[in-house]
Amino acid sequence: MASQFHQLRILVWKNWLGVKRQPLWTLVLILWPVIIFIILAITRTKFPPTAKPTWDFSTCNICDGRMLQFFFSCVSEEIDSRYRVMVAQ
């Protein structure tokens, strides 16, 4: 247990020496996420999110969605029949 704390102390000391010896790199490591966050915040305020309406067959204005339901059922039947032919061969 004591050796683990000793290793932790040595690791923290090593990191502190890196911070002391390379102050510019330390500054870059701290400022880079801050700059990215500021860019994202500015972008978010200039282009606020907008809600997009959802769509399904019940909200369709063309024939109350019945034409589209018919079309998609025909397409799915066509795909099913092609699949059956491929399996039968």
Side-chain angles (χ1 to χ4, degrees):
M1 191 70 139
S3 67
Q4 290 176 349
F5 288 121
H6 182 68
Q7 287 178 355
L8 178 65
R9 192 174 130 230
I10 291 172
L11 184 63
V12 170
W13 177 252
K14 179 183 172 186
N15 287 339
W16 173 248
L17 286 178
V19 167
K20 262 176 53 176
R21 291 177 182 166
Q22 298 176 346
L24 182 63
W25 181 246
T26 304
L27 188 65
V28 168
L29 287 177
I30 293 171
L31 288 180
W32 183 247
V34 174
I35 291 169
I36 296 295
F37 177 76
I38 290 171
I39 290 171
L40 287 174
I42 291 171
T43 304
R44 182 73 183 243
T45 56
K46 293 216 179 239
F47 305 104
T50 56
K52 294 183 179 179
T54 57
W55 185 88
D56 59 345
F57 289 120
S58 63
T59 59
C60 182
N61 293 333
I62 303 171
C63 298
D64 197 24
R66 290 188 188 99
M67 279 182 69
L68 290 174
Q69 286 177 344
F70 175 73
F71 172 73
F72 284 119
S73 67
C74 291
V75 169
S76 66
E77 286 174 10
E78 183 180 326
I79 291 171
D80 289 342
S81 66
R82 284 183 189 168
Y83 181 69
R84 282 191 220 112
V85 170
M86 286 175 25
V87 171
Q89 293 175 351

